[in-house]
């Protein structure tokens, strides 16, 4: 009986649990080490391909992964340490795969989606009255159409598209002004109008409230255009952003233009970025008025950024406006090329890149960062919404920050004060992006950035800038300045025959802005009180 009991004990001690067998199997250990080497090689390739990690950190990453793979391999000969390093190897491999999927992959996709923007979308809509029986373009075959000659190129493309879809040649009438064409629709003088959808915001923002050319009822129709009409068709016209003409109506000669026409290395050469904040929610590709017009003059060597605000109502030349000036905000209706051209012509500079941001993206980015804080300079309550902003440090979410940026009616400085607040919010957002908040909210920030803005900076150039910043983590000197002028009433290119409020810019403020631009481009220290 005793002998049999001893044998059973010996047998039980020789049996290994599945977990123990897994942890002590030498062949399996070597297989795990090989798998780790393969995953490490792939991870190194993915990180290197992204291009944001500086060489010194890449070297550390490679050495660390190679060294650990070597340690895992040699420890398989030791029963004491083999199982421990196998577990660590599996965890490390899992972490590398997770990082590739959760962090690196989405970041690469984001870069590709927002960078290298070279097209814009213009939506030409067909509107009829709300109670019209037509529901689609096919119902309009015998209708009389009207269009604006100020937007003739896009209107012509839209008419050609409609003719093709209806397999006929529609009856059209050309109008000189937006309100005249819309009035014709309400008066029954035309059945349908073809209109760049970006014009609707001009029509509805009350610019014609004091125009006695039209009845009070008609002026009300203008303001309530969207609710009194319906869009029965839309034609999307995609145009390439091809760059600007070299001929300007500037007061500066060619040799007086500041900056470089092209940038060979964005991490070493100063460049000028035009930031356009469009007054639209939704797709960033759609053209719209540019409510934010800020130049960012960047010197990567001196770590200096100069933000120059140009008020939206600034009275400037547009690319196709001839001898008639227009509001700067209206340039956005015709595409980013026109806005860039107007800014280059105004300041006598070469703009190297542009960035377009819409209101949806603006809110989402700030919310994803957990809010921002600005030092408010003046107490006010917003005209719409009644949001109160006291003097001092204010922490705001995306919605509140947007209200803060858009308010002008409650501010003594009007649009100029709004521009100052916009630059304050941009600065606060840049500082937040450069903080640990980005890492803490990485996934939500990436999600908010996608579709929120587009830029002509290439993905490789963005990666190079990130690489540069990670290499030294230096702080940036961010300064801001706003040009100014006098409010007057004048006719504009986009709405001929009617005088609108515009801002006639003071040349001395433009000259001052140019002086600041020169200083940044030349690498001089800049401090603006």
């Amino acid at each position: 009986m005793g002998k049999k009991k001893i044998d059973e004990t010996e047998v039980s001690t020789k049996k290994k649990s599945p977990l123990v067998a897994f942890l002590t199997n030498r062949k399996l250990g070597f297989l795990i080490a090989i798998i780790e080497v393969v995953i490490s090689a792939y991870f190194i390739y993915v990180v290197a391909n992204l291009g944001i990690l500086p060489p010194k950190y890449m070297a550390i990453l490679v050495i660390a992964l190679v060294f650990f793979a070597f340690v895992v391999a040699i420890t398989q000969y030791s029963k004491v340490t083999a199982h421990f390093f196998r577990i660590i190897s599996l965890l490390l491999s899992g972490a590398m795969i997770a990082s590739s999927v959760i962090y690196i992959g989405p970041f690469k996709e984001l870069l590709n989606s927002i960078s290298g923007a070279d097209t814009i979308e213009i939506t030409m809509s067909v509107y009829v009255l709300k109670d019209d029986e037509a529901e689609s373009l096919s119902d309009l075959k015998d209708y009389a159409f009207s269009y604006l000659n100020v937007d003739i190129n896009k209107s012509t493309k839209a008419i050609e598209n409609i003719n093709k879809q209806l397999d006929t040649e529609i009856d059209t009438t050309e109008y000189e002004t937006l309100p005249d064409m819309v009035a014709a629709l309400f008066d029954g003088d035309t059945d349908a109008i073809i209109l760049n959808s970006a014009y609707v915001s001009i029509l509805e923002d009350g610019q014609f409230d004091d125009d006695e050319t039209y009845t009070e009822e008609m002026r009300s129709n203008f303001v309530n255009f969207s609710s009194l009409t319906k869009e029965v068709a839309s034609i999307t016209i995609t145009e390439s952003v091809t760059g600007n003409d070299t001929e300007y109506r500037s007061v500066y000669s060619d040799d007086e233009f500041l900056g470089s026409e092209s940038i060979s290395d964005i991490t070493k050469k100063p460049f000028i970025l035009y930031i356009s904040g469009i007054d639209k929610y939704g797709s960033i590709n759609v053209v719209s008025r540019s409510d934010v017009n800020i130049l960012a003059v960047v010197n990567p060597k001196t770590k200096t950024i100069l933000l120059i605000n140009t008020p939206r109502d600034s009275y400037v030349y547009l690319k196709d406006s001839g001898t008639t000036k227009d509001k700067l905000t209206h340039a956005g209706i015709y595409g980013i090329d026109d806005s860039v051209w107007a800014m280059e012509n105004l300041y006598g500079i070469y703009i190297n890149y542009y960035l377009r941001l819409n209101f949806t993206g603006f809110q989402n980015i700030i919310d994803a960062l957990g809010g921002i804080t600005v030092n408010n300079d003046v107490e006010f309550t917003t005209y719409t919404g009644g949001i109160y902003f006291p003097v001092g440090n204010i922490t705001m979410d995306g919605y509140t920050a947007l209200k803060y940026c858009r308010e002008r009616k409650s501010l003594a400085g009007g649009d100029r004060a709004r521009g100052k607040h916009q630059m304050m919010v941009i600065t606060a957002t840049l500082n937040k992006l450069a903080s640990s908040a980005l890492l803490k909210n990485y996934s939500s920030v990436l999600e908010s950035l996608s579709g929120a803005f587009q830029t002509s900076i290439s993905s490789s150039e963005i990666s190079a800038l990130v690489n540069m910043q990670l290499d030294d983590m230096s702080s940036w000197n961010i300064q801001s300045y706003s040009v100014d002028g006098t409010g007057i009433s004048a006719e504009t290119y986009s709405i001929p025959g009617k005088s609108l409020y515009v801002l006639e810019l003071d040349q001395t403020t433009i000259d001052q802005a140019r002086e600041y631009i020169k200083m940044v481009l030349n690498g001089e220290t800049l401090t603006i009180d």
Side-chain angles (χ1 to χ4, degrees), residues 308-457:
I308 296 178
N309 172 61
T310 310
R312 67 190 292 274
D313 291 328
S314 297
Y315 201 39
V316 300
Y317 287 110
L318 304 190
K319 185 161 58 174
D320 299 317
S321 66
T323 58
T324 304
K325 291 184 177 181
D326 203 338
K327 292 188 178 188
L328 176 59
T329 184
H330 290 170
I333 296 172
Y334 309 107
I336 190 68
D337 270 359
D338 286 66
S339 294
V340 169
W341 187 96
M343 296 290 279
E344 287 186 329
N345 185 69
L346 175 64
Y347 290 102
I349 59 173
Y350 294 112
I351 293 176
N352 306 110
Y353 307 99
Y354 68 81
L355 182 150
R356 299 178 77 235
L357 175 70
N358 66 12
F359 290 153
T360 304
F362 181 84
Q363 288 187 218
N364 292 343
I365 291 170
I366 292 177
D367 284 336
L369 287 169
I372 59 170
T373 300
V374 300
N375 187 6
N376 186 38
D377 57 341
V378 58
E379 178 186 35
F380 68 94
T381 300
T382 58
Y383 184 78
T384 57
I387 300 177
Y388 172 69
F389 292 100
V391 173
N393 288 330
I394 304 172
T395 299
M396 300 179 285
D397 60 11
Y399 175 80
T400 307
L402 179 59
K403 288 293 186 182
Y404 182 79
C405 276
R406 298 200 70 187
E407 183 60 33
R408 63 188 175 95
K409 292 184 178 180
S410 299
L411 299 170
D415 195 43
R416 285 151 285 189
R418 173 168 64 176
K420 181 179 180 181
H421 288 171
Q422 289 168 352
M423 291 189 291
M424 290 167 62
V425 168
I426 289 175
T427 300
T429 304
L430 289 175
N431 288 333
K432 198 69 178 286
L433 283 168
S435 71
S436 59
L438 177 59
L439 296 178
K440 292 178 181 177
N441 305 281
Y442 183 83
S443 297
S444 57
V445 171
L446 284 192
E447 184 178 349
S448 71
L449 290 173
S450 180
F453 71 89
Q454 62 177 191
T455 178
S456 59
I457 304 176

Side-chain angles (χ1 to χ4, degrees), residues 57-79:
Y57 295 125
M58 277 299 301
I60 293 173
L61 176 66
V62 172
I63 292 172
L65 291 178
V66 170
F67 175 76
F68 191 79
F70 174 75
V71 170
V72 172
I74 63 173
T75 54
Q76 300 313 303
Y77 293 100
S78 170
K79 293 182 179 180

Side-chain angles (χ1 to χ4, degrees), residues 245-315:
D245 302 332
T246 56
E247 295 182 4
Y248 296 89
R249 289 182 291 280
S250 176
V251 297
Y252 312 103
S253 60
D254 291 345
D255 59 356
E256 290 179 313
F257 265 57
L258 304 177
S260 302
E261 291 189 71
S262 60
I263 301 298
S264 57
D265 189 339
I266 199 170
T267 64
K268 296 179 180 179
K269 300 292 184 181
F271 61 91
I272 301 177
L273 169 73
Y274 166 58
I275 302 172
S276 171
I278 63 174
D279 69 341
K280 280 285 184 182
Y281 290 88
S283 174
I284 188 62
N285 289 324
V286 178
V287 299
S288 178
R289 292 186 301 179
S290 183
D291 275 2
V292 178
N293 299 277
I294 293 175
L295 293 175
V297 186
V298 183
N299 191 317
K301 282 293 188 180
T302 62
K303 298 288 185 175
T304 301
I305 298 176
L306 167 63
L307 300 176
I308 296 178
N309 172 61
T310 310
R312 67 190 292 274
D313 291 328
S314 297
Y315 201 39

